[in-house]
Amino acid sequence: MELKDLKSAWAAYSSQEVDKHRLEKENIHELLKTRTKTLVDRIDRNIRIGMGVILIFIAYVIIDDIYLSKLILSEPMHYPDWMVPMDVFSNVIIVTTYLFFVLRYWRIKRSFSPDTQLNDLLKGILDTLTTYKRLFYLAVVILLINMVVSFAAGLYQGVKIKTDSLTGGIENLTLSKLLIVIGVGLAFLIPLIAGTFFLLRWGFNKLYGRYLIKLNETLLELDESGNAEL
Amino acid sequence: MEKEFLQIITENQGIIHKVCSIYCDLEEDRRDLFQEILVQLWKSYPSFRSESKFSTWMYRVALNTAITSFKKEKRQPDKTGVSYENLQLAEELYDSGAEDQIKMLNQAVSQLTGIEKSIILLFLEDKKYEEIAEITGITQNYVRVKMNRIKKKLKLLMNQEE
């Protein structure tokens, strides 16, 4: 059968389909009023919620560092000198990355519209999803950094209290014992961090992985147009 | 603006129904996609300028939405072929020749990619390459290349069915 024969068959079929599903103005108005969110709308909403949550979390971490811990603890905690720049550095990185994402998100939003060319639309959705993915990883990294710093501080404090009472101070701890303490600490910390990271990554891919693959495939198919021109 | 929008959509709703019909098999998916397209049209309506025809703009938004929503693939052609609903309609409306053509077309189209579906829909709607290029945003040359590939693919798929 020739394709041109299909045109007439399609014309008859599609006009019957249109008649069958035709809606009145009131029905269309009703559909508009009861609109549901599309996947991209939901991702967009999640990004904004995510940014809010991360902002609150960052504010909490900074307030906790500067004010809360001093207020709660009766005696000030003693940290080794190397831990202070590590803490400050991680906070600076987190805040800078967060600001970068907020700016990037608004830039994408400004150039995003459903009536642009498909190529631009696909890139816009991919950018939004990539931003969401990175924002998600930022949240994971913030959580992990916080876990590492808190774990290191807790471990140090614990060892210090124990050694103060037993050997007269952490300075008197032998190298082998110090290595054992670090080893045991890492043995707890590494699986905990890796487990948290992979669990969260798996969750993200489960939710959006397939959509990302489909978007990339479609974009790749469109990009072939450039090659076909050559 | 809402009144004007509703009026113009009511008059041109056939475009949305045709897009839904090519991309969705199940009534439920079809209703969802119709609503999604409607919402996207409403959102982008303020930015519509009469630089292009309204139908061109409407096709673009509708196809963009359908392609990026990645509704469940049309059911892969099984032994019975086209979906029950479409088959029933075909039985009511057409002679057995037309019914076979629709059945084969549905089965073959279900195996095309989202972009290919958009091009074949516009082809079936008798759009010129120039307009297909304007709607899909790909060059006329590539539309020709793509159309040739789709024709070959469809012929092959439909011959398998025959």
Side-chain angles (χ1 to χ4, degrees):
Chain A
M1 187 207 307
E2 288 300 315
L3 280 169
K4 62 177 185 223
D5 300 332
L6 288 175
K7 275 192 182 178
S8 52
W10 168 256
Y13 170 71
S14 62
S15 68
Q16 292 295 338
E17 279 285 282
V18 171
D19 289 344
K20 185 185 161 196
H21 293 96
R22 185 169 292 284
L23 297 172
E24 295 304 319
K25 210 186 281 183
E26 294 73 35
N27 306 123
I28 294 177
H29 189 225
E30 191 61 33
L31 279 176
L32 262 183
K33 277 200 302 188
T34 57
R35 60 187 166 211
T36 49
K37 286 190 183 302
T38 63
L39 182 62
V40 177
D41 290 338
R42 287 199 297 273
I43 290 169
D44 196 43
R45 179 201 57 195
N46 292 349
I47 290 178
R48 276 181 274 129
I49 292 173
M51 283 178 171
V53 170
I54 292 177
L55 185 66
I56 292 168
F57 190 68
I58 290 173
Y60 165 74
V61 168
I62 293 171
I63 292 170
D64 180 48
D65 274 1
I66 297 168
Y67 185 67
L68 276 182
S69 51
K70 284 174 194 161
L71 196 77
I72 293 166
L73 295 169
S74 51
E75 280 181 40
M77 279 181 82
H78 299 286
Y79 298 107
D81 291 342
W82 52 266
M83 201 168 264
V84 178
M86 186 177 144
D87 198 28
V88 172
F89 181 70
S90 64
N91 284 344
V92 169
I93 290 281
I94 287 167
V95 172
T96 313
T97 319
Y98 178 78
L99 290 176
F100 168 78
F101 276 121
V102 172
L103 288 174
R104 184 186 152 87
Y105 172 71
W106 288 118
R107 213 182 57 215
I108 294 168
K109 282 296 291 175
R110 260 205 333 238
S111 60
F112 192 86
S113 166
D115 65 350
T116 50
Q117 302 288 9
L118 181 60
N119 198 43
D120 296 332
L121 180 71
L122 285 169
K123 281 179 182 161
I125 298 174
L126 265 172
D127 276 347
T128 309
L129 207 52
T130 310
T131 303
Y132 185 40
K133 194 176 181 177
R134 287 181 184 162
L135 185 78
F136 174 80
Y137 280 122
L138 173 69
V140 174
V141 167
I142 291 173
L143 184 72
L144 295 183
I145 288 177
N146 212 258
M147 277 167 69
V148 171
V149 172
S150 306
F151 190 88
L155 185 71
Y156 178 83
Q157 194 69 15
V159 172
K160 191 175 182 319
I161 291 167
K162 202 79 182 162
T163 49
D164 281 350
S165 61
L166 292 176
T167 59
I170 202 164
E171 303 79 24
N172 299 328
L173 209 64
T174 60
L175 183 65
S176 58
K177 281 185 179 164
L178 192 68
L179 287 175
I180 290 172
V181 169
I182 293 171
V184 170
L186 289 177
F188 274 107
L189 195 61
I190 290 172
L192 187 68
I193 287 175
T196 310
F197 178 79
F198 286 114
L199 183 73
L200 292 173
R201 196 179 74 159
W202 175 82
F204 185 90
N205 285 337
K206 185 91 182 148
L207 280 175
Y208 302 109
R210 192 174 150 69
Y211 189 63
L212 259 173
I213 291 169
K214 287 256 183 193
L215 280 174
N216 275 311
E217 279 174 0
T218 311
L219 194 61
L220 198 70
E221 191 184 342
L222 265 185
D223 282 345
E224 279 179 7
S225 61
N227 298 331
E229 290 294 295
L230 298 174
Chain B
M1 191 173 73
E2 196 181 75
K3 258 187 179 174
E4 180 192 285
F5 175 77
L6 285 173
Q7 182 61 38
I8 204 160
I9 291 297
T10 309
E11 284 165 11
N12 293 280
Q13 61 179 291
I15 292 175
I16 315 179
H17 287 303
K18 285 172 187 174
V19 171
C20 293
S21 158
I22 277 275
Y23 282 87
C24 300
D25 189 23
L26 303 171
E27 271 301 310
E28 194 189 341
D29 287 344
R30 198 187 163 120
R31 270 195 298 273
D32 285 350
L33 183 59
F34 187 93
Q35 193 174 23
E36 249 175 66
I37 292 172
L38 199 61
V39 171
Q40 297 305 328
L41 285 166
W42 171 241
K43 273 186 186 171
S44 45
Y45 186 62
S47 64
F48 170 67
R49 297 178 228 298
S50 307
E51 289 159 4
S52 58
K53 280 195 287 182
F54 185 78
S55 62
T56 302
W57 174 81
M58 202 167 159
Y59 264 117
R60 185 187 295 156
V61 176
L63 288 170
N64 279 355
T65 309
I67 290 171
T68 54
S69 74
F70 299 116
K71 288 276 161 216
K72 271 176 244 159
E73 299 290 324
K74 273 195 165 191
R75 269 175 281 179
Q76 287 303 304
D78 52 22
K79 302 295 173 223
T80 55
V82 75
S83 73
Y84 175 72
E85 283 155 6
N86 288 345
L87 189 62
Q88 206 177 27
L89 181 74
E91 276 171 1
E92 285 167 11
L93 300 167
Y94 309 115
D95 58 36
S96 61
E99 182 193 320
D100 283 346
Q101 285 178 337
I102 291 298
K103 198 171 158 181
M104 280 195 287
L105 180 66
N106 264 302
Q107 286 176 350
V109 165
S110 71
Q111 298 185 52
L112 299 178
T113 65
I115 294 170
E116 288 172 340
K117 280 177 189 167
S118 69
I119 294 174
I120 195 68
L121 170 69
L122 296 170
F123 168 81
L124 291 170
E125 285 294 302
D126 237 359
K127 302 284 177 203
K128 294 190 175 78
Y129 285 144
E130 190 185 354
E131 199 175 350
I132 298 179
E134 194 187 344
I135 292 168
T136 56
I138 52 185
T139 61
Q140 277 190 58
N141 279 351
Y142 186 58
V143 171
R144 278 197 186 87
V145 172
K146 200 80 183 153
M147 197 58 228
N148 284 332
R149 284 186 203 160
I150 297 170
K151 279 177 186 171
K152 279 181 195 162
K153 203 168 167 180
L154 282 179
K155 267 187 186 170
L156 191 76
L157 288 166
M158 288 161 86
N159 287 338
Q160 281 173 358
E161 293 300 324
E162 273 179 336

